[in-house]
Amino acid sequence: MKNLIKIVLGLFLTFGFLNAELLEQSGQKDGFDVKLSSTKALIVGTNEFVVELVKDSKVIDTAKVKVKFFMPEMPGMPYMESEENAVLVDGKYKMNINIPMSGTWQYQLKFKTDDGVVHTVKGSVNL
């Protein structure tokens, strides 16, 4: 009986890890190609995100980038958010965001270009 429980538990864990996917969302905003991705499958806790900005086939490495993940207030649950400024590493903007619980999280990715214009990309992820 104990062996059967171990086998079933092992199968659940295996399928759980196999179904975990990396986040990869991309789109366009004001002529910029914007790509938001994660380095690993999303988990409850700290996640590393990478933002890539390209315009006219050129990597943009002079922007200031920040992202805010948030979950609106719901009955019995307060508003939650995690916001972080990105650091430029090898032409990509990297940041760590804490996602404290599973569910649908909305995000606002903002980047300010050299001309002083702030561009905002909105989306959501499920955890």
Side-chain angles (χ1 to χ4, degrees), residues 37-58:
S37 58
S38 63
T39 57
K40 298 179 182 175
L42 297 180
I43 60 168
V44 171
T46 302
N47 295 277
E48 184 179 36
F49 291 94
V50 177
V51 175
E52 297 176 57
L53 298 174
V54 177
K55 184 170 187 174
D56 300 327
S57 300
K58 294 181 184 175

mmCIF file of all heavy atoms in Angstrom, residues 37-58:
data_model
loop_
_atom_site.group_PDB
_atom_site.id
_atom_site.type_symbol
_atom_site.label_atom_id
_atom_site.label_comp_id
_atom_site.label_asym_id
_atom_site.label_seq_id
_atom_site.Cartn_x
_atom_site.Cartn_y
_atom_site.Cartn_z
ATOM 1 N N SER A 37 9.727 37.687 -20.739
ATOM 2 C CA SER A 37 9.877 36.249 -20.550
ATOM 3 C C SER A 37 10.420 35.963 -19.157
ATOM 4 O O SER A 37 10.925 36.852 -18.478
ATOM 5 C CB SER A 37 10.811 35.659 -21.618
ATOM 6 O OG SER A 37 12.071 36.290 -21.578
ATOM 7 N N SER A 38 10.284 34.714 -18.754
ATOM 8 C CA SER A 38 10.839 34.285 -17.470
ATOM 9 C C SER A 38 11.977 33.311 -17.745
ATOM 10 O O SER A 38 11.998 32.640 -18.777
ATOM 11 C CB SER A 38 9.763 33.612 -16.610
ATOM 12 O OG SER A 38 9.286 32.448 -17.234
ATOM 13 N N THR A 39 12.923 33.252 -16.817
ATOM 14 C CA THR A 39 14.051 32.346 -17.000
ATOM 15 C C THR A 39 13.698 30.920 -16.593
ATOM 16 O O THR A 39 14.359 29.985 -17.022
ATOM 17 C CB THR A 39 15.269 32.828 -16.196
ATOM 18 O OG1 THR A 39 14.907 32.951 -14.819
ATOM 19 C CG2 THR A 39 15.761 34.177 -16.722
ATOM 20 N N LYS A 40 12.680 30.761 -15.752
ATOM 21 C CA LYS A 40 12.205 29.450 -15.304
ATOM 22 C C LYS A 40 10.688 29.474 -15.285
ATOM 23 O O LYS A 40 10.077 30.524 -15.417
ATOM 24 C CB LYS A 40 12.723 29.141 -13.894
ATOM 25 C CG LYS A 40 14.220 29.061 -13.783
ATOM 26 C CD LYS A 40 14.627 28.780 -12.353
ATOM 27 C CE LYS A 40 16.133 28.758 -12.220
ATOM 28 N NZ LYS A 40 16.563 28.612 -10.839
ATOM 29 N N ALA A 41 10.083 28.335 -15.073
ATOM 30 C CA ALA A 41 8.630 28.284 -14.921
ATOM 31 C C ALA A 41 8.236 29.117 -13.703
ATOM 32 O O ALA A 41 8.952 29.144 -12.696
ATOM 33 C CB ALA A 41 8.169 26.843 -14.745
ATOM 34 N N LEU A 42 7.116 29.823 -13.800
ATOM 35 C CA LEU A 42 6.681 30.697 -12.712
ATOM 36 C C LEU A 42 6.298 29.888 -11.481
ATOM 37 O O LEU A 42 5.668 28.831 -11.589
ATOM 38 C CB LEU A 42 5.496 31.544 -13.159
ATOM 39 C CG LEU A 42 5.757 32.508 -14.308
ATOM 40 C CD1 LEU A 42 4.495 33.295 -14.643
ATOM 41 C CD2 LEU A 42 6.886 33.458 -13.977
ATOM 42 N N ILE A 43 6.684 30.421 -10.327
ATOM 43 C CA ILE A 43 6.389 29.778 -9.052
ATOM 44 C C ILE A 43 5.862 30.821 -8.081
ATOM 45 O O ILE A 43 5.999 32.013 -8.313
ATOM 46 C CB ILE A 43 7.647 29.113 -8.449
ATOM 47 C CG1 ILE A 43 8.733 30.170 -8.202
ATOM 48 C CG2 ILE A 43 8.157 27.982 -9.309
ATOM 49 C CD1 ILE A 43 9.898 29.689 -7.367
ATOM 50 N N VAL A 44 5.261 30.363 -6.993
ATOM 51 C CA VAL A 44 4.929 31.270 -5.897
ATOM 52 C C VAL A 44 6.250 31.605 -5.223
ATOM 53 O O VAL A 44 6.996 30.722 -4.822
ATOM 54 C CB VAL A 44 3.955 30.607 -4.898
ATOM 55 C CG1 VAL A 44 3.786 31.465 -3.671
ATOM 56 C CG2 VAL A 44 2.624 30.346 -5.572
ATOM 57 N N GLY A 45 6.564 32.883 -5.173
ATOM 58 C CA GLY A 45 7.850 33.317 -4.637
ATOM 59 C C GLY A 45 8.552 34.206 -5.653
ATOM 60 O O GLY A 45 7.920 34.835 -6.497
ATOM 61 N N THR A 46 9.869 34.245 -5.596
ATOM 62 C CA THR A 46 10.651 35.127 -6.450
ATOM 63 C C THR A 46 10.864 34.506 -7.824
ATOM 64 O O THR A 46 11.286 33.358 -7.936
ATOM 65 C CB THR A 46 12.007 35.442 -5.796
ATOM 66 O OG1 THR A 46 11.765 36.041 -4.523
ATOM 67 C CG2 THR A 46 12.809 36.403 -6.642
ATOM 68 N N ASN A 47 10.580 35.290 -8.866
ATOM 69 C CA ASN A 47 10.739 34.869 -10.256
ATOM 70 C C ASN A 47 11.621 35.879 -10.980
ATOM 71 O O ASN A 47 11.479 37.083 -10.782
ATOM 72 C CB ASN A 47 9.377 34.820 -10.959
ATOM 73 C CG ASN A 47 8.473 33.770 -10.367
ATOM 74 O OD1 ASN A 47 8.556 32.611 -10.702
ATOM 75 N ND2 ASN A 47 7.595 34.173 -9.450
ATOM 76 N N GLU A 48 12.509 35.389 -11.838
ATOM 77 C CA GLU A 48 13.345 36.281 -12.637
ATOM 78 C C GLU A 48 12.695 36.505 -13.995
ATOM 79 O O GLU A 48 12.341 35.552 -14.684
ATOM 80 C CB GLU A 48 14.747 35.714 -12.830
ATOM 81 C CG GLU A 48 15.649 36.673 -13.587
ATOM 82 C CD GLU A 48 17.061 36.168 -13.773
ATOM 83 O OE1 GLU A 48 17.254 34.949 -13.964
ATOM 84 O OE2 GLU A 48 17.987 36.995 -13.739
ATOM 85 N N PHE A 49 12.530 37.777 -14.362
ATOM 86 C CA PHE A 49 11.938 38.149 -15.640
ATOM 87 C C PHE A 49 12.966 38.874 -16.490
ATOM 88 O O PHE A 49 13.856 39.556 -15.967
ATOM 89 C CB PHE A 49 10.723 39.059 -15.426
ATOM 90 C CG PHE A 49 9.553 38.356 -14.802
ATOM 91 C CD1 PHE A 49 9.353 38.384 -13.438
ATOM 92 C CD2 PHE A 49 8.650 37.664 -15.597
ATOM 93 C CE1 PHE A 49 8.280 37.738 -12.862
ATOM 94 C CE2 PHE A 49 7.570 37.006 -15.022
ATOM 95 C CZ PHE A 49 7.385 37.039 -13.661
ATOM 96 N N VAL A 50 12.809 38.737 -17.806
ATOM 97 C CA VAL A 50 13.693 39.381 -18.768
ATOM 98 C C VAL A 50 12.829 40.157 -19.755
ATOM 99 O O VAL A 50 11.832 39.643 -20.258
ATOM 100 C CB VAL A 50 14.535 38.336 -19.528
ATOM 101 C CG1 VAL A 50 15.408 39.002 -20.575
ATOM 102 C CG2 VAL A 50 15.368 37.512 -18.572
ATOM 103 N N VAL A 51 13.213 41.407 -20.023
ATOM 104 C CA VAL A 51 12.510 42.243 -20.995
ATOM 105 C C VAL A 51 13.493 42.569 -22.115
ATOM 106 O O VAL A 51 14.632 42.965 -21.861
ATOM 107 C CB VAL A 51 11.995 43.548 -20.354
ATOM 108 C CG1 VAL A 51 11.382 44.465 -21.403
ATOM 109 C CG2 VAL A 51 10.994 43.244 -19.261
ATOM 110 N N GLU A 52 13.033 42.379 -23.352
ATOM 111 C CA GLU A 52 13.827 42.735 -24.513
ATOM 112 C C GLU A 52 13.075 43.800 -25.304
ATOM 113 O O GLU A 52 11.889 43.653 -25.574
ATOM 114 C CB GLU A 52 14.064 41.512 -25.392
ATOM 115 C CG GLU A 52 14.869 40.422 -24.695
ATOM 116 C CD GLU A 52 15.002 39.178 -25.552
ATOM 117 O OE1 GLU A 52 15.505 39.291 -26.690
ATOM 118 O OE2 GLU A 52 14.581 38.107 -25.076
ATOM 119 N N LEU A 53 13.774 44.876 -25.645
ATOM 120 C CA LEU A 53 13.195 45.974 -26.416
ATOM 121 C C LEU A 53 13.956 46.118 -27.725
ATOM 122 O O LEU A 53 15.186 46.210 -27.726
ATOM 123 C CB LEU A 53 13.288 47.291 -25.643
ATOM 124 C CG LEU A 53 12.556 47.376 -24.314
ATOM 125 C CD1 LEU A 53 12.879 48.693 -23.617
ATOM 126 C CD2 LEU A 53 11.065 47.253 -24.532
ATOM 127 N N VAL A 54 13.218 46.144 -28.839
ATOM 128 C CA VAL A 54 13.821 46.276 -30.162
ATOM 129 C C VAL A 54 12.990 47.272 -30.961
ATOM 130 O O VAL A 54 11.755 47.242 -30.919
ATOM 131 C CB VAL A 54 13.871 44.911 -30.896
ATOM 132 C CG1 VAL A 54 14.430 45.060 -32.294
ATOM 133 C CG2 VAL A 54 14.671 43.901 -30.099
ATOM 134 N N LYS A 55 13.676 48.155 -31.673
ATOM 135 C CA LYS A 55 12.995 49.075 -32.587
ATOM 136 C C LYS A 55 13.816 49.158 -33.868
ATOM 137 O O LYS A 55 15.020 49.398 -33.814
ATOM 138 C CB LYS A 55 12.834 50.460 -31.963
ATOM 139 C CG LYS A 55 12.029 51.396 -32.863
ATOM 140 C CD LYS A 55 11.663 52.678 -32.161
ATOM 141 C CE LYS A 55 10.724 53.475 -33.070
ATOM 142 N NZ LYS A 55 10.217 54.662 -32.413
ATOM 143 N N ASP A 56 13.154 48.954 -34.994
ATOM 144 C CA ASP A 56 13.814 48.973 -36.302
ATOM 145 C C ASP A 56 15.001 48.013 -36.330
ATOM 146 O O ASP A 56 16.092 48.345 -36.805
ATOM 147 C CB ASP A 56 14.263 50.389 -36.672
ATOM 148 C CG ASP A 56 13.100 51.362 -36.740
ATOM 149 O OD1 ASP A 56 11.989 50.931 -37.126
ATOM 150 O OD2 ASP A 56 13.294 52.548 -36.404
ATOM 151 N N SER A 57 14.823 46.826 -35.800
ATOM 152 C CA SER A 57 15.841 45.763 -35.755
ATOM 153 C C SER A 57 17.061 46.129 -34.917
ATOM 154 O O SER A 57 18.103 45.491 -35.033
ATOM 155 C CB SER A 57 16.283 45.377 -37.171
ATOM 156 O OG SER A 57 15.187 44.915 -37.914
ATOM 157 N N LYS A 58 16.962 47.143 -34.081
ATOM 158 C CA LYS A 58 18.066 47.531 -33.201
ATOM 159 C C LYS A 58 17.644 47.338 -31.753
ATOM 160 O O LYS A 58 16.556 47.758 -31.347
ATOM 161 C CB LYS A 58 18.442 48.996 -33.425
ATOM 162 C CG LYS A 58 19.021 49.278 -34.791
ATOM 163 C CD LYS A 58 19.387 50.736 -34.932
ATOM 164 C CE LYS A 58 19.879 51.016 -36.347
ATOM 165 N NZ LYS A 58 20.128 52.449 -36.544
#
